[in-house]
Short mmCIF file of all heavy atoms in Angstrom, two decimals:
data_model
loop_
_atom_site.label_atom_id
_atom_site.label_comp_id
_atom_site.label_asym_id
_atom_site.label_seq_id
_atom_site.Cartn_x
_atom_site.Cartn_y
_atom_site.Cartn_z
N THR A 1 75.26 78.35 205.30
CA THR A 1 75.09 79.73 204.81
C THR A 1 76.34 80.23 204.13
O THR A 1 76.32 80.82 203.05
CB THR A 1 74.74 80.68 205.99
OG1 THR A 1 73.57 80.19 206.62
CG2 THR A 1 74.50 82.08 205.53
N ALA A 2 77.51 79.97 204.74
CA ALA A 2 78.75 80.44 204.14
C ALA A 2 78.98 79.79 202.75
O ALA A 2 79.40 80.44 201.80
CB ALA A 2 79.93 80.12 205.07
N GLY A 3 78.72 78.48 202.66
CA GLY A 3 78.90 77.76 201.39
C GLY A 3 78.00 78.30 200.32
O GLY A 3 78.40 78.46 199.16
N VAL A 4 76.72 78.55 200.65
CA VAL A 4 75.80 79.00 199.62
C VAL A 4 76.13 80.44 199.22
O VAL A 4 76.06 80.77 198.04
CB VAL A 4 74.34 78.89 200.09
CG1 VAL A 4 73.96 79.93 201.12
CG2 VAL A 4 73.40 78.92 198.92
N ARG A 5 76.55 81.30 200.14
CA ARG A 5 76.92 82.66 199.75
C ARG A 5 78.17 82.64 198.89
O ARG A 5 78.29 83.42 197.96
CB ARG A 5 77.09 83.52 201.01
CG ARG A 5 75.79 83.84 201.66
CD ARG A 5 75.95 84.76 202.87
NE ARG A 5 74.67 84.94 203.53
CZ ARG A 5 73.75 85.85 203.17
NH1 ARG A 5 73.98 86.59 202.12
NH2 ARG A 5 72.61 85.95 203.84
N LYS A 6 79.08 81.74 199.16
CA LYS A 6 80.30 81.62 198.34
C LYS A 6 79.94 81.15 196.92
O LYS A 6 80.42 81.68 195.92
CB LYS A 6 81.26 80.64 198.98
CG LYS A 6 82.57 80.52 198.29
CD LYS A 6 83.52 79.60 199.04
CE LYS A 6 84.84 79.49 198.30
NZ LYS A 6 85.78 78.60 199.06
N ALA A 7 79.03 80.15 196.83
CA ALA A 7 78.58 79.68 195.53
C ALA A 7 77.88 80.76 194.73
O ALA A 7 78.09 80.90 193.52
CB ALA A 7 77.68 78.45 195.72
N ILE A 8 77.06 81.56 195.43
CA ILE A 8 76.34 82.64 194.73
C ILE A 8 77.32 83.68 194.20
O ILE A 8 77.22 84.11 193.05
CB ILE A 8 75.30 83.29 195.67
CG1 ILE A 8 74.14 82.33 195.87
CG2 ILE A 8 74.79 84.63 195.10
CD1 ILE A 8 73.20 82.78 196.99
N ALA A 9 78.28 84.05 195.06
CA ALA A 9 79.27 85.05 194.63
C ALA A 9 80.04 84.57 193.41
O ALA A 9 80.31 85.32 192.47
CB ALA A 9 80.21 85.35 195.78
N ARG A 10 80.46 83.31 193.41
CA ARG A 10 81.22 82.76 192.30
C ARG A 10 80.40 82.70 191.02
O ARG A 10 80.83 83.08 189.95
CB ARG A 10 81.73 81.36 192.63
CG ARG A 10 82.51 80.74 191.57
CD ARG A 10 83.84 81.47 191.35
NE ARG A 10 84.59 80.75 190.27
CZ ARG A 10 85.18 81.33 189.29
NH1 ARG A 10 85.19 82.69 189.20
NH2 ARG A 10 85.83 80.66 188.39
N LEU A 11 79.13 82.28 191.14
CA LEU A 11 78.22 82.22 189.99
C LEU A 11 78.03 83.63 189.39
O LEU A 11 78.09 83.80 188.18
CB LEU A 11 76.90 81.63 190.41
CG LEU A 11 75.82 81.56 189.31
CD1 LEU A 11 76.28 80.65 188.18
CD2 LEU A 11 74.52 81.03 189.92
N GLN A 12 77.78 84.60 190.24
CA GLN A 12 77.62 85.97 189.75
C GLN A 12 78.87 86.50 189.11
O GLN A 12 78.81 87.20 188.11
CB GLN A 12 77.12 86.88 190.91
CG GLN A 12 75.74 86.54 191.34
CD GLN A 12 75.30 87.29 192.60
OE1 GLN A 12 76.11 87.58 193.45
NE2 GLN A 12 73.99 87.57 192.66
N GLN A 13 80.02 86.16 189.66
CA GLN A 13 81.29 86.61 189.07
C GLN A 13 81.52 86.02 187.70
O GLN A 13 81.86 86.71 186.77
CB GLN A 13 82.45 86.20 190.00
CG GLN A 13 83.82 86.57 189.46
CD GLN A 13 84.92 86.04 190.30
OE1 GLN A 13 84.78 85.06 191.06
NE2 GLN A 13 86.10 86.66 190.22
N VAL A 14 81.23 84.75 187.52
CA VAL A 14 81.36 84.05 186.23
C VAL A 14 80.38 84.68 185.23
O VAL A 14 80.74 84.98 184.08
CB VAL A 14 81.16 82.57 186.38
CG1 VAL A 14 81.02 81.89 184.98
CG2 VAL A 14 82.27 81.92 187.17
N ALA A 15 79.17 84.95 185.67
CA ALA A 15 78.17 85.52 184.75
C ALA A 15 78.60 86.92 184.29
O ALA A 15 78.50 87.25 183.11
CB ALA A 15 76.81 85.63 185.45
N ARG A 16 79.14 87.70 185.20
CA ARG A 16 79.63 89.04 184.80
C ARG A 16 80.85 88.90 183.86
O ARG A 16 80.96 89.65 182.86
CB ARG A 16 80.04 89.84 186.05
CG ARG A 16 78.89 90.43 186.79
CD ARG A 16 79.34 91.44 187.82
NE ARG A 16 80.29 90.88 188.80
CZ ARG A 16 79.94 90.27 189.91
NH1 ARG A 16 78.69 90.10 190.24
NH2 ARG A 16 80.88 89.77 190.73
N THR A 17 81.78 88.03 184.20
CA THR A 17 82.98 87.85 183.35
C THR A 17 82.66 87.50 181.91
O THR A 17 83.24 88.03 181.02
CB THR A 17 83.89 86.74 183.95
OG1 THR A 17 84.30 87.14 185.29
CG2 THR A 17 85.10 86.49 183.10
N TYR A 18 81.68 86.62 181.74
CA TYR A 18 81.32 86.18 180.40
C TYR A 18 80.11 86.87 179.86
O TYR A 18 79.60 86.53 178.76
CB TYR A 18 81.08 84.67 180.41
CG TYR A 18 82.37 83.89 180.69
CD1 TYR A 18 82.62 83.34 181.95
CD2 TYR A 18 83.35 83.76 179.69
CE1 TYR A 18 83.80 82.66 182.20
CE2 TYR A 18 84.52 83.07 179.94
CZ TYR A 18 84.75 82.54 181.21
OH TYR A 18 85.89 81.88 181.45
N ASP A 19 79.63 87.92 180.57
CA ASP A 19 78.52 88.73 180.15
C ASP A 19 77.30 87.89 179.75
O ASP A 19 76.79 88.00 178.62
CB ASP A 19 78.93 89.66 178.99
CG ASP A 19 77.92 90.75 178.72
OD1 ASP A 19 77.20 91.12 179.68
OD2 ASP A 19 77.80 91.25 177.59
N ILE A 20 76.93 87.00 180.66
CA ILE A 20 75.75 86.13 180.42
C ILE A 20 74.71 86.42 181.47
O ILE A 20 75.02 86.90 182.59
CB ILE A 20 76.13 84.66 180.43
CG1 ILE A 20 76.78 84.23 181.77
CG2 ILE A 20 77.01 84.30 179.30
CD1 ILE A 20 77.03 82.77 181.90
N SER A 21 73.47 86.10 181.15
CA SER A 21 72.36 86.29 182.07
C SER A 21 72.07 84.94 182.72
O SER A 21 72.14 83.88 182.07
CB SER A 21 71.13 86.75 181.32
OG SER A 21 71.34 88.00 180.75
N LEU A 22 71.73 84.99 183.98
CA LEU A 22 71.32 83.80 184.71
C LEU A 22 69.85 83.48 184.36
O LEU A 22 69.07 84.38 184.07
CB LEU A 22 71.48 83.98 186.21
CG LEU A 22 72.92 84.29 186.68
CD1 LEU A 22 72.91 84.53 188.16
CD2 LEU A 22 73.85 83.14 186.31
N GLU A 23 69.50 82.23 184.46
CA GLU A 23 68.13 81.82 184.24
C GLU A 23 67.26 82.47 185.34
O GLU A 23 67.69 82.65 186.45
CB GLU A 23 68.00 80.30 184.33
CG GLU A 23 68.70 79.55 183.21
CD GLU A 23 68.00 79.69 181.90
OE1 GLU A 23 66.77 79.75 181.86
OE2 GLU A 23 68.69 79.78 180.87
N PRO A 24 66.02 82.78 184.98
CA PRO A 24 65.10 83.38 185.97
C PRO A 24 64.95 82.58 187.26
O PRO A 24 64.95 83.14 188.33
CB PRO A 24 63.77 83.52 185.23
CG PRO A 24 64.15 83.60 183.79
CD PRO A 24 65.36 82.73 183.63
N VAL A 25 64.94 81.26 187.12
CA VAL A 25 64.76 80.41 188.30
C VAL A 25 65.99 80.51 189.20
O VAL A 25 65.92 80.49 190.42
CB VAL A 25 64.45 78.93 187.93
CG1 VAL A 25 65.62 78.29 187.27
CG2 VAL A 25 63.96 78.16 189.15
N THR A 26 67.18 80.72 188.58
CA THR A 26 68.40 80.87 189.37
C THR A 26 68.38 82.21 190.09
O THR A 26 68.75 82.31 191.29
CB THR A 26 69.62 80.79 188.43
OG1 THR A 26 69.59 79.49 187.75
CG2 THR A 26 70.93 80.91 189.24
N GLU A 27 67.97 83.24 189.39
CA GLU A 27 67.84 84.59 190.02
C GLU A 27 66.83 84.54 191.20
O GLU A 27 67.11 85.11 192.26
CB GLU A 27 67.37 85.60 188.99
CG GLU A 27 68.39 85.95 187.93
CD GLU A 27 69.54 86.81 188.44
OE1 GLU A 27 69.61 87.20 189.64
OE2 GLU A 27 70.40 87.14 187.58
N GLN A 28 65.74 83.83 191.01
CA GLN A 28 64.76 83.68 192.08
C GLN A 28 65.33 82.97 193.27
O GLN A 28 65.12 83.35 194.43
CB GLN A 28 63.52 82.97 191.56
CG GLN A 28 62.70 83.79 190.59
CD GLN A 28 61.61 82.95 189.92
OE1 GLN A 28 61.52 81.75 190.12
NE2 GLN A 28 60.79 83.62 189.16
N LEU A 29 66.10 81.88 193.04
CA LEU A 29 66.75 81.16 194.11
C LEU A 29 67.69 82.06 194.87
O LEU A 29 67.74 82.05 196.10
CB LEU A 29 67.44 79.91 193.60
CG LEU A 29 68.18 79.08 194.61
CD1 LEU A 29 67.24 78.56 195.71
CD2 LEU A 29 68.88 77.90 193.97
N ILE A 30 68.52 82.82 194.10
CA ILE A 30 69.48 83.73 194.78
C ILE A 30 68.76 84.74 195.63
O ILE A 30 69.13 84.97 196.79
CB ILE A 30 70.33 84.42 193.66
CG1 ILE A 30 71.30 83.38 193.06
CG2 ILE A 30 71.10 85.59 194.29
CD1 ILE A 30 72.08 83.89 191.86
N ASP A 31 67.70 85.33 195.12
CA ASP A 31 66.90 86.30 195.88
C ASP A 31 66.35 85.66 197.14
O ASP A 31 66.38 86.28 198.20
CB ASP A 31 65.76 86.90 195.04
CG ASP A 31 66.27 87.80 193.93
OD1 ASP A 31 67.45 88.25 194.01
OD2 ASP A 31 65.47 88.04 193.02
N LEU A 32 65.82 84.46 197.03
CA LEU A 32 65.23 83.76 198.15
C LEU A 32 66.31 83.48 199.20
O LEU A 32 66.12 83.75 200.39
CB LEU A 32 64.59 82.46 197.69
CG LEU A 32 63.85 81.65 198.70
CD1 LEU A 32 62.65 82.43 199.21
CD2 LEU A 32 63.41 80.33 198.10
N VAL A 33 67.46 82.96 198.80
CA VAL A 33 68.51 82.64 199.72
C VAL A 33 69.08 83.91 200.40
O VAL A 33 69.24 83.93 201.63
CB VAL A 33 69.64 81.90 198.98
CG1 VAL A 33 70.88 81.77 199.88
CG2 VAL A 33 69.16 80.52 198.53
N LEU A 34 69.29 84.95 199.64
CA LEU A 34 69.84 86.15 200.22
C LEU A 34 68.86 86.93 201.09
O LEU A 34 69.27 87.75 201.89
CB LEU A 34 70.39 87.09 199.12
CG LEU A 34 71.58 86.51 198.34
CD1 LEU A 34 72.05 87.51 197.29
CD2 LEU A 34 72.73 86.15 199.27
N SER A 35 67.57 86.54 201.02
CA SER A 35 66.60 87.20 201.88
C SER A 35 66.56 86.53 203.26
O SER A 35 65.83 86.92 204.14
CB SER A 35 65.20 87.13 201.25
OG SER A 35 64.69 85.80 201.33
N ASP A 36 67.45 85.52 203.47
CA ASP A 36 67.59 84.82 204.71
C ASP A 36 66.35 84.09 205.12
O ASP A 36 66.09 83.84 206.30
CB ASP A 36 68.07 85.73 205.82
CG ASP A 36 69.47 86.18 205.65
OD1 ASP A 36 70.28 85.40 205.09
OD2 ASP A 36 69.79 87.31 206.04
N ARG A 37 65.53 83.68 204.15
CA ARG A 37 64.34 82.89 204.46
C ARG A 37 64.77 81.42 204.66
O ARG A 37 65.82 81.01 204.20
CB ARG A 37 63.28 83.03 203.35
CG ARG A 37 62.77 84.42 203.35
CD ARG A 37 61.67 84.77 202.46
NE ARG A 37 61.08 83.81 201.58
CZ ARG A 37 60.41 84.10 200.52
NH1 ARG A 37 60.31 85.34 200.12
NH2 ARG A 37 59.89 83.18 199.75
N VAL A 38 63.95 80.70 205.34
CA VAL A 38 64.27 79.29 205.65
C VAL A 38 64.07 78.47 204.38
O VAL A 38 63.11 78.69 203.61
CB VAL A 38 63.32 78.82 206.76
CG1 VAL A 38 63.53 77.33 207.05
CG2 VAL A 38 63.54 79.64 208.02
N ALA A 39 64.91 77.50 204.18
CA ALA A 39 64.81 76.60 203.06
C ALA A 39 63.50 75.82 203.17
O ALA A 39 63.07 75.45 204.23
CB ALA A 39 66.03 75.62 203.03
N PRO A 40 62.86 75.57 202.01
CA PRO A 40 61.59 74.78 202.09
C PRO A 40 61.90 73.35 202.55
O PRO A 40 62.91 72.76 202.21
CB PRO A 40 61.14 74.79 200.62
CG PRO A 40 62.31 75.14 199.82
CD PRO A 40 63.25 75.91 200.69
N SER A 41 61.03 72.85 203.38
CA SER A 41 61.22 71.46 203.89
C SER A 41 60.86 70.46 202.80
O SER A 41 60.05 70.72 201.97
CB SER A 41 60.33 71.25 205.12
OG SER A 41 58.99 71.41 204.81
N ARG A 42 61.52 69.37 202.86
CA ARG A 42 61.29 68.31 201.90
C ARG A 42 60.09 67.50 202.36
O ARG A 42 59.96 67.20 203.54
CB ARG A 42 62.48 67.42 201.76
CG ARG A 42 63.65 68.15 201.19
CD ARG A 42 64.85 67.22 201.10
NE ARG A 42 65.99 68.01 200.62
CZ ARG A 42 66.62 67.74 199.48
NH1 ARG A 42 66.28 66.78 198.75
NH2 ARG A 42 67.62 68.49 199.12
N THR A 43 59.23 67.18 201.41
CA THR A 43 58.05 66.43 201.73
C THR A 43 57.96 65.20 200.87
O THR A 43 58.33 65.24 199.68
CB THR A 43 56.75 67.21 201.56
OG1 THR A 43 56.68 67.69 200.21
CG2 THR A 43 56.73 68.43 202.50
N GLY A 44 57.52 64.09 201.44
CA GLY A 44 57.34 62.88 200.68
C GLY A 44 58.59 62.35 200.05
O GLY A 44 59.71 62.70 200.44
N GLY A 45 58.48 61.54 199.04
CA GLY A 45 59.63 61.04 198.32
C GLY A 45 60.45 60.06 199.08
O GLY A 45 60.23 59.73 200.24
#
């Protein structure tokens, strides 16, 4: 949890610094992670 929150904070900081938008899938992942939901389990493969 600490590592992922640190990565999110850094990514958001870089995006603000360079005035860029994150991809929708990245925004969705951030929302999902910050909602404290459980990571999807891996199946098959």
